[in-house]
Amino acid sequence: MSKQHQNGMDQQNVGCRVSGVSCRMPMLLSAAVLLLATSPALAQSPPAAAASPSLRVTVNSSQDGPVQADNELTLREAIELENGTLSPDKLSPAERAQVEVLEGNTPPRIEFKLPDGQTTIRLVDVLPALQRPGLLIDGTTQPGYQASQSAINELPMPVPVVAIAPADGKEVFRGLTVAADGITIRGLSLYGFTSTHRETASTPPADIFVTHRLPPPDIRKQPTPANFAPYYKDDLPAQNVLIENNWLGIPPTHEEPGVKRQEPGVAQDLPRSAFGVSVFDGVATVIRRNWIANHDGSAIITSVRAENLQVGENVITGNGVAGMPDAIRLEGAVNQAQITGNLICANDGSGVYLFKPEGAVQIKDNQIIYNGRRLRRAAVYLMGSQHVVAGNQIRYQTGPGVVVAAYPTSRQNQIETNRFSDLEGLSIDLVTRQGTGTYQYVDSVVEPGTGVYEYQRGDGSNPPRDTPNRRQETGNAAINAPQFASKEFFALGSELKSSVQIFGKADPGSKIELYQVAGADDGYGPLSEPIATTDTDANGNFSATIDSSIGERISAIATDPRYGTSEPARVATIRAIDAAVPALTAVQPPTSPPHCTTPAVAQQPPPEPPPKVVQLTVPRSIHFALDQSNISPVTAKVLDRIAQVLVENPYILVTIVGHTDPRASDDYNLALGSRRALAARNYLLRRGIAPERMTIRSLGERQLISPGHTRLDYARDRRAEFIYRDARNIEVVIQEQDLQIEP
């Protein structure tokens, strides 16, 4: 890559980095043709594998290195045998004994029989791309694999035995690269695949990377495709790839990869992977029943093409901790993609984020909970049109439930039968370009309206549509929220639960979905439980009779097939005609510690919530050196005390807020404060604190603790504060033993 081109990429990719690698996908495509032509995993001559006989190759060595005739067969050698780039006559007799020619149409396969205690394959370099159509890489063949036993209760997740990871001191940017049709990857653990090298920055490093069938792009071909598209007509996407029952980002030991430990004399932690599965160019890829966790960036990300992508029954937890924060990020051609039945929990941004996709996506029957740990975003963020979001449980989000973007034009998105609770925003938020009156650059065009913050988090309830222009500048064409005829409806009987007639008005031709509302009374929701549906007439009037309890609150949404689903109606309350009938008091669920997964082994029953009178003594803040975000040895001791309190009291949730002194610009200080909060959170992660219990924020210089301008004042401002939440009284300690006063 030329220096001039490199400098241009540096300017484009300032928005998001993963371990030093740019992860801002729209900017990646302009250089992808260069990477794919030079990548050691892809820059190979087209193999003759498709014409060669099917092989069963058994890997019996965890070593890696150059292909050589010895007594053990490595994974690298097995892949080259299947690809047709290594002839069996180059092997030793002991290695040839591990190769069997299969009869008939039996698909080729790589199996494992690694020695006990040597089941982690440590790679010294990127493996060759998988180029044999129909190849199965099957970790379930390793002795000791137990398919019938799950590690967690939430979804079946057998523990892999065979792991693939970089060798100590080696940086390997991909685990397995898929470049042929019908390939299956099953029953493996892959982790630690990342990169800081600029030459690999144009496509994401990942545990598993799906791309075109070879031959790869050849930069000698002329002319270069329009807009530097990273493929030519003869670069066909890998089709029908199956990725199932793997642990991505998680070793079989459950040890969590993460940041380097700061304490002297402590070994370096396992490296954290950049991304889980990157579908760069694939059709009908199936990602199912995997556990994908602990990545710097997204668990699943698409780029050029991922039509008919199927993402189902995966557990996706704790991703996005140091880069692109969203659990599943879809862009490029993703028509007919389906995200169904997944547990998406404790990721740092949105659960599902659609960025300028081509085509429609269905997001159904997922649990999307405790996300937005680092960045306040919607649980589901939609750009584009005709998406379906239905049957999901969306809870504990530091932002709205579902946001529909205003730019690019996003219409006909149907958002129905979902259950929302504990949101910081609306259940459904249709963003408008006129939200703030400010201007922003969108694809080099100045666009008036909502800034990045509102686009990602939502801009609150919209007023009734008053001009035709509103349809052009608001998500889902500014379909109006329903309006109830009254803020109170009266029960027809005298029982606590009686029939109630509901009346209201919405856009003509709409289907109305009525919801029970539970939780904080913010006037709009959240929409906790769907209870009835009805339709509007030609004048937009609707009515319905429901069974409801006295004191219950209700809301509604409208869906017009021409425009999509609306924001929620203002809440109405069910009252009794007879004032003597008492309102039903909502029963609050018992307090329990938040969790994403629970071990499948027998557990002791959870302890009863401690009495409210119990008081704890715990530090409230830690401090940092000038312009630094690393944890000092003294600060580490303070964090150890905080970790101890959190471990002993699993009901405590904590928000970590990063602060700076007032020097430098506001933008710089916000970023520095974010790094400080992130460093504190990562330290506590390593001490066993679950990610769903911690949220991080940055205020930069906006909340100074000291009014003066001395070195001591500045040292006090350079801090991360811990805001604890629980049903009990918590006595916080203002400590300054780790103050780091600049020279």
Side-chain angles (χ1 to χ4, degrees):
M1 185 179 294
S2 69
K3 184 175 182 180
Q4 180 180 7
H5 183 80
Q6 180 68 70
N7 290 338
M9 288 296 293
D10 288 341
Q11 292 299 315
Q12 291 177 338
N13 291 332
V14 296
C16 174
R17 295 186 180 273
V18 175
S19 298
V21 176
S22 170
C23 55
R24 194 173 172 187
M25 292 302 297
M27 304 304 181
L28 303 179
L29 302 184
S30 62
V33 62
L34 298 181
L35 170 72
L36 292 175
T38 58
S39 165
L42 297 175
Q44 303 176 32
S45 299
S52 61
S54 290
L55 303 177
R56 175 188 283 114
V57 183
T58 301
V59 177
N60 63 359
S61 171
S62 62
Q63 301 302 307
D64 186 40
V67 173
Q68 56 185 347
D70 52 25
N71 292 325
E72 296 178 325
L73 192 71
T74 67
L75 177 58
R76 185 178 301 275
E77 292 168 336
I79 293 173
E80 292 205 21
L81 284 165
E82 296 286 9
N83 285 348
T85 55
L86 174 63
S87 173
D89 59 15
K90 302 294 184 182
L91 303 176
S92 69
E95 290 174 310
R96 284 198 296 270
Q98 305 302 319
V99 181
E100 176 188 352
V101 177
L102 300 172
E103 300 294 333
N105 296 322
T106 305
R109 53 196 305 130
I110 294 176
E111 299 182 348
F112 296 87
K113 194 173 182 180
L114 302 174
D116 289 342
Q118 301 178 36
T119 56
T120 298
I121 298 172
R122 299 287 183 181
L123 302 182
V124 298
D125 201 356
V126 179
L127 291 168
L130 306 176
Q131 304 172 44
R132 179 63 186 261
L135 175 65
L136 166 62
I137 300 185
D138 193 355
T140 69
T141 58
Q142 172 67 30
Y145 185 89
Q146 298 181 7
S148 62
Q149 294 189 6
S150 177
I152 58 176
N153 288 315
E154 285 67 23
L155 285 169
M157 291 289 151
V159 180
V161 179
V162 177
I164 305 174
D168 292 341
K170 297 291 184 180
E171 184 179 81
V172 182
F173 72 98
R174 288 202 188 121
L176 294 172
T177 302
V178 178
D181 294 348
I183 288 180
T184 297
I185 299 171
R186 177 186 297 151
L188 297 172
S189 163
L190 294 98
Y191 61 93
F193 296 101
T194 189
S195 175
T196 58
H197 292 310
R198 292 295 302 165
E199 63 266 23
T200 63
S202 52
T203 56
D207 295 324
I208 299 176
F209 186 80
V210 181
T211 187
H212 1 276
R213 290 192 286 123
L214 298 185
D218 184 345
I219 60 175
R220 294 170 297 180
K221 296 178 181 178
Q222 295 296 332
T224 300
N227 300 321
F228 294 95
Y231 56 89
Y232 295 78
K233 291 182 179 179
D234 58 349
D235 299 318
L236 302 178
Q239 299 189 47
N240 302 312
V241 174
L242 173 59
I243 301 168
E244 66 176 359
N245 292 115
N246 302 286
W247 287 18
L248 305 182
I250 316 171
T253 59
H254 283 243
E255 185 178 359
E256 182 182 338
V259 296
K260 295 179 180 179
R261 295 181 178 177
Q262 303 290 336
E263 304 95 319
V266 176
Q268 177 177 323
D269 291 336
L270 299 169
R272 183 185 282 126
S273 292
F275 293 93
V277 180
S278 173
V279 183
F280 185 79
D281 192 11
V283 172
T285 303
V286 177
I287 305 170
R288 68 186 182 197
R289 295 195 296 272
N290 303 281
W291 193 352
I292 312 177
N294 308 326
H295 291 85
D296 281 341
S298 300
I300 299 172
I301 186 170
T302 66
S303 182
V304 176
R305 182 185 297 149
E307 292 109 327
N308 201 20
L309 172 71
Q310 309 291 310
V311 179
E313 300 180 59
N314 300 280
V315 174
I316 301 174
T317 58
N319 298 285
V321 299
M324 191 171 288
D326 311 304
I328 300 175
R329 183 181 176 98
L330 303 184
E331 57 183 280
V334 293
N335 195 41
Q336 298 183 14
Q338 296 186 26
I339 301 172
T340 308
N342 302 279
L343 170 59
I344 305 172
C345 180
N347 301 282
D348 271 18
S350 295
V352 182
Y353 194 101
L354 273 56
F355 184 79
K356 297 185 179 180
E358 300 172 23
V361 176
Q362 293 193 356
I363 304 168
K364 292 185 174 182
D365 302 322
N366 302 281
Q367 292 190 60
I368 307 175
I369 55 176
Y370 292 114
N371 296 291
R373 301 291 89 194
R374 176 163 60 94
L375 296 178
R376 295 192 179 193
R377 291 186 174 179
V380 177
Y381 183 82
L382 303 179
M383 285 186 177
S385 300
Q386 298 181 331
H387 306 303
V388 175
V389 181
N392 302 282
Q393 293 189 34
I394 299 176
R395 298 180 284 138
Y396 304 106
Q397 181 71 25
T398 59
V402 180
V403 159
V404 179
Y407 187 90
T409 301
S410 302
R411 294 189 176 188
Q412 296 176 292
N413 296 291
Q414 297 186 20
I415 307 161
E416 301 175 303
T417 64
N418 301 284
R419 292 164 171 81
F420 302 91
S421 67
D422 295 279
L423 308 174
E424 294 182 15
L426 299 177
S427 299
I428 303 169
D429 196 335
L430 310 182
V431 174
T432 176
R433 299 188 202 180
Q434 302 299 330
T436 64
T438 60
Y439 287 80
Q440 62 172 349
Y441 280 94
V442 180
D443 290 347
S444 301
V445 177
V446 177
E447 290 284 342
T450 304
V452 172
Y453 178 85
E454 286 80 12
Y455 263 96
Q456 294 180 343
R457 195 187 176 196
D459 58 1
S461 59
N462 295 329
R465 186 180 62 255
D466 52 2
T467 68
N469 289 337
R470 286 276 312 283
R471 289 210 185 274
Q472 304 302 319
E473 61 194 24
T474 304
N476 275 1
I479 176 174
N480 278 321
Q483 292 183 322
F484 290 124
S486 172
K487 64 180 181 180
E488 296 181 333
F489 292 97
F490 291 90
L492 301 179
S494 59
E495 303 295 328
L496 277 178
K497 196 172 186 69
S498 303
S499 294
V500 182
Q501 290 185 335
I502 306 298
F503 302 93
K505 195 173 183 66
D507 286 355
S510 300
K511 180 179 75 173
I512 304 301
E513 191 172 33
L514 295 168
Y515 277 82
Q516 182 186 39
V517 170
D521 187 4
D522 61 359
Y524 290 95
L527 308 176
S528 62
E529 187 73 29
I531 52 178
T533 59
T534 186
D535 296 308
T536 59
D537 61 22
N539 296 316
N541 298 308
F542 68 86
S543 64
T545 300
I546 63 173
D547 289 333
S548 186
S549 300
I550 306 302
E552 189 172 284
R553 292 174 293 140
I554 61 171
S555 182
I557 53 177
T559 298
D560 187 320
R562 298 167 298 173
Y563 304 121
T565 302
S566 73
E567 295 181 341
R570 270 198 168 275
V571 169
T573 304
I574 307 303
R575 303 295 187 193
I577 295 177
D578 183 355
V581 178
L584 182 67
T585 301
V587 178
Q588 296 296 327
T591 303
S592 61
H595 65 269
C596 291
T597 61
T598 53
V601 297
Q603 298 289 307
Q604 294 294 328
E608 292 294 325
K612 294 183 179 181
V613 296
V614 171
Q615 289 190 337
L616 299 175
T617 301
V618 61
R620 180 182 176 182
S621 60
I622 60 173
H623 299 88
F624 296 87
L626 175 65
D627 201 30
Q628 298 296 313
S629 58
N630 60 294
I631 304 298
S632 72
V634 177
T635 300
K637 294 180 179 180
V638 180
L639 284 170
D640 287 340
R641 169 57 185 159
I642 294 174
Q644 178 186 1
V645 170
L646 294 176
V647 168
E648 293 173 351
N649 300 272
Y651 299 90
I652 295 178
L653 307 179
V654 61
T655 298
I656 307 170
V657 184
H659 300 268
T660 70
D661 67 38
R663 295 170 290 183
S665 68
D666 183 59
D667 287 346
Y668 182 88
N669 284 334
L670 283 172
L672 178 58
S674 180
R675 293 196 297 273
R676 288 171 173 169
L678 182 63
R681 192 272 298 268
N682 284 345
Y683 189 98
L684 294 176
L685 283 173
R686 295 300 306 161
R687 293 299 178 268
I689 309 305
E692 58 266 33
R693 298 177 60 192
M694 296 183 286
T695 303
I696 66 174
R697 298 285 177 261
S698 175
L699 289 177
E701 62 183 84
R702 299 176 182 179
Q703 197 174 85
L704 302 177
I705 200 170
S706 298
H709 301 284
T710 68
R711 289 182 298 158
L712 178 60
D713 292 323
Y714 290 151
R716 286 171 171 160
D717 289 329
R718 295 192 299 267
R719 69 198 191 279
E721 289 191 348
F722 296 78
I723 301 172
Y724 304 96
R725 289 177 289 138
D726 196 4
R728 301 164 298 171
N729 296 321
I730 299 176
E731 179 184 349
V732 297
V733 176
I734 305 300
Q735 64 84 30
E736 295 185 345
Q737 66 190 57
D738 67 333
L739 276 179
Q740 300 171 62
I741 301 175
E742 63 206 79

